[in-house]
Amino acid sequence: MKYFSTRGGDQKLSFEETVLTGLAPNGGLYIPENIPSLPSDWRTNWKDYSFVDLSVAVLSLYISPNEISEQELRTLAEKSYRTFRHPDVTPLKKLGDKTFILELFHGPTFAFKDVALQLLGNLFEFFLLRRNAKKIPGEQQETLTVVGATSGDTGSAAIYGLRNKANISIFILHPKGRVSPIQEAQMTTVTDANVHNVAVKGTFDDCQDIVKALFADKEFNSEHRLGAVNSINWARILAQTVYYFLSFFHFQSQLPEGTSLEDVEIQYVVPTGNFGDILAGYYAKKMGLPMGKLVVATNANDILARFWKTGRYEKVDSSAVEGEGAAAPAGGSSNGKQGTDASGVKETLSPAMDILVSSNFERLLWYLAYETAEGEDDAARRTATSKTLDTWMYKVKIDGRVEVPVAALEAGRKDFLAERISDEMTLTTIQSYFDGQPSYVADPHTAVGLAAAGIIAPKNSPNTYQIVLSTAHPAKFSEAVSKALEGSSHFNFDRDVLPQEFHGLLEKEKRVIDVERPDIDLVKGVIGRFAKSDEHTAVEAGSV
Ligand SMILES: *Cc1c(COP(=O)(O)O)cnc(C)c1O
């Protein structure tokens, strides 16, 4: 299997090159040459497969065996999912008559990104070790310096994915004092020598700007071979397809007696930000996993929900006249906490979904454009599709918007529904599920999914079952959960929510490098000082 950029070009990459490259040089995202279909006997053969078994079965359809053999793939998957606390890795739980919840947060940092990042870290290490094994003694070893910025939610998943990996160092910048104490502790208590938490005196945007500038600095980039682990990496999407398959089989085994799978429809509901999680579901669907429409659940950062209404992919809601919508004045929404930062992103109770544009959406746009593209043969259609994508993404960059043809929107509507959920609805949903039978404490991201499921359910056919993806443990977002449940006398955060692993976390040993100003040269200095030393010695963290 080879991969190509959504924006075209003749370049065809192996899986390894695709994973190590991340973003294509022409700005596009890599997608597989074709979406493989399932082996004819998958339903019977895969029925009792574990998460690891399914990882091997699904991933091997996308990775040539001469790149990674099945045995190697199994070893990588075992290593990646051993770190999960639940034997099913991603268990499916019944919440109501027609509602199931797919818990994706049983990994080391209690958030769904672990599913992908645990595997990605092992893949990086596998590739580098293999390349280095071929070098002659004395030849320069290949290394990777992963750099990223976090506002708190996702940095820890990257750190846990890459901690203690050979030939890799990781630098995660966070705004000092501006991430929640638990999230800060989750990152800074990782004391492995190759992990560098950089606390920058400044804002999250400052951190992000520094990271962008580092990647744009060709000289620095090639000297250190910078790598990104952001959500556009193909391996992350691929790893996430696995739980759609697993949940399908677990759903099958929980169906009421006398109900056949042929008579029901599964509707996956996915809290969505950068469109990675739900895109994995789209690939599973296109491979042949039976499901109804996928539901995109967004918070007030609703560029995707608006797309399915209007066919316009636009940063600012041009149809918003007053009140809500991105055209509202900064911070002027009636939505309680809600404010808008300089870039136009709204702060919500589900911060991991606070985005302006959705980085993986370009991949779906390629398929929508392809379905409606013209050309003499498939090759001509593909070329035309990539040209279209190039034009569309250029418009998004320059004008902040693009409107796709009706036919492409219609193609998108065949596979997706979308709902936007406010912070108020998020809070009331957390309350109602806590008061429900069984009582369930949802994190605010999961609550966005549950709320969207509740809006859509009455319109579903009676034989539709909803599987809502749960993307974080409620303990990670204590502020929103406590706010929602503060009126419930029988709720106690420490007793009902806080996992054992979080007890005493704040008192553990920390390792963090302070940077006194949001200054790129100071950060370069930190990377230069620590990256080189990783392979040999553990260096004491200090102040810069
Ligand atoms: C990243 C994240 C999401 C959004 O996932 P995407 O793949 O970006 O759509 C939702 N919830 C949580 C808790 C996350 O960390």
Side-chain angles (χ1 to χ4, degrees), residues 71-180:
Q71 191 46 51
E72 287 166 331
L73 204 49
R74 178 167 295 278
T75 306
L76 288 167
E78 276 169 357
K79 204 171 160 191
S80 303
Y81 300 113
R82 218 169 30 215
T83 59
F84 279 61
R85 294 174 304 276
H86 197 286
D88 289 348
V89 179
T90 56
L92 183 72
K93 295 186 177 163
K94 192 164 181 175
L95 271 197
D97 224 14
K98 291 279 163 63
T99 317
F100 287 78
I101 194 133
L102 175 57
E103 290 185 343
L104 306 178
F105 57 70
H106 295 277
T109 77
F110 293 78
F112 102 98
K113 289 189 175 64
D114 288 329
V115 177
L117 284 164
Q118 285 294 307
L119 182 75
L120 185 63
N122 285 315
L123 281 171
F124 277 160
E125 184 180 58
F126 174 82
F127 293 140
L128 289 173
L129 284 174
R130 183 164 67 184
R131 288 175 176 211
N132 287 333
K134 290 183 192 140
K135 309 243 176 223
I136 49 166
E139 199 181 346
Q140 171 99 41
Q141 297 274 298
E142 286 194 39
T143 59
L144 193 66
T145 304
V146 170
V147 184
T150 185
S151 57
D153 320 315
T154 56
S156 57
I159 288 170
Y160 274 80
L162 294 176
R163 68 186 295 181
N164 203 20
K165 295 279 181 269
N167 305 309
I168 302 173
S169 34
I170 175 166
F171 294 81
I172 295 291
L173 279 59
H174 72 262
K176 187 176 172 68
R178 295 187 191 221
V179 301
S180 82

Side-chain angles (χ1 to χ4, degrees), residues 112-369:
F112 102 98
K113 289 189 175 64
D114 288 329
V115 177
L117 284 164
Q118 285 294 307
L119 182 75
L120 185 63
N122 285 315
L123 281 171
F124 277 160
E125 184 180 58
F126 174 82
F127 293 140
L128 289 173
L129 284 174
R130 183 164 67 184
R131 288 175 176 211
N132 287 333
K134 290 183 192 140
K135 309 243 176 223
I136 49 166
E139 199 181 346
Q140 171 99 41
Q141 297 274 298
E142 286 194 39
T143 59
L144 193 66
T145 304
V146 170
V147 184
T150 185
S151 57
D153 320 315
T154 56
S156 57
I159 288 170
Y160 274 80
L162 294 176
R163 68 186 295 181
N164 203 20
K165 295 279 181 269
N167 305 309
I168 302 173
S169 34
I170 175 166
F171 294 81
I172 295 291
L173 279 59
H174 72 262
K176 187 176 172 68
R178 295 187 191 221
V179 301
S180 82
I182 284 278
Q183 289 177 345
E184 199 242 14
Q186 272 193 304
M187 296 190 286
T188 58
T189 56
V190 179
T191 54
D192 301 62
N194 75 325
V195 173
H196 309 284
N197 279 287
V198 184
V200 177
K201 218 175 226 175
T203 64
F204 170 59
D205 282 340
D206 292 331
C207 295
Q208 215 167 15
D209 288 345
I210 291 173
V211 171
K212 275 188 200 152
L214 290 172
F215 276 93
D217 184 332
K218 287 219 169 68
E219 200 182 320
F220 188 79
N221 196 335
S222 63
E223 184 191 343
H224 288 284
R225 178 137 189 218
L226 297 189
V229 292
N230 46 26
S231 68
I232 55 95
N233 195 294
W234 170 250
R236 287 185 60 173
I237 308 294
L238 194 51
Q240 291 166 6
T241 57
V242 175
Y243 46 72
Y244 286 91
F245 286 90
L246 188 75
S247 61
F248 173 83
F249 290 116
H250 286 178
F251 170 74
Q252 186 173 1
S253 64
Q254 289 185 50
L255 264 181
E257 238 176 276
T259 315
S260 137
L261 206 52
E262 312 305 323
D263 305 330
V264 305
E265 183 171 286
I266 305 175
Q267 182 178 67
Y268 285 94
V269 185
V270 190
T272 299
N274 274 321
F275 206 74
D277 202 0
I278 194 164
L279 182 71
Y282 176 80
Y283 277 102
K285 187 171 195 230
K286 293 294 155 182
M287 289 166 78
L289 185 69
M291 64 174 86
K293 290 184 184 176
L294 287 147
V295 179
V296 178
T298 79
N299 63 25
N301 295 288
D302 60 350
I303 182 167
L304 293 174
R306 285 185 280 114
F307 172 80
W308 267 279
K309 278 208 186 83
T310 63
R312 285 193 300 273
Y313 185 60
E314 57 183 357
K315 292 181 186 171
V316 175
D317 184 359
S318 62
S319 64
V321 198
E322 54 181 343
E324 275 204 315
S333 158
S334 61
N335 218 350
K337 164 184 177 169
Q338 207 160 88
T340 307
D341 75 10
S343 64
V345 178
K346 293 175 189 161
E347 270 181 49
T348 73
L349 294 172
S350 42
M353 290 153 47
D354 289 350
I355 47 96
L356 196 61
V357 291
S358 200
S359 51
N360 274 296
F361 193 56
E362 178 167 346
R363 287 190 165 109
L364 180 71
L365 284 175
W366 193 92
Y367 293 105
L368 301 187

Side-chain angles (χ1 to χ4, degrees), residues 424-486:
E424 277 105 329
M425 285 154 87
T426 306
L427 291 174
T428 52
T429 303
I430 295 174
Q431 279 158 6
S432 67
Y433 274 89
F434 178 68
D435 293 334
Q437 267 312 327
S439 174
Y440 190 82
V441 182
D443 103 287
H445 305 81
T446 307
V448 167
L450 287 166
I455 292 172
I456 287 166
K459 301 172 206 158
N460 281 341
S461 72
N463 57 2
T464 300
Y465 287 77
Q466 294 178 314
I467 296 181
V468 179
L469 274 55
S470 172
T471 52
H473 190 286
K476 277 202 90 152
F477 297 94
S478 59
E479 192 202 345
V481 173
S482 299
K483 190 169 173 182
L485 300 181
E486 65 196 357

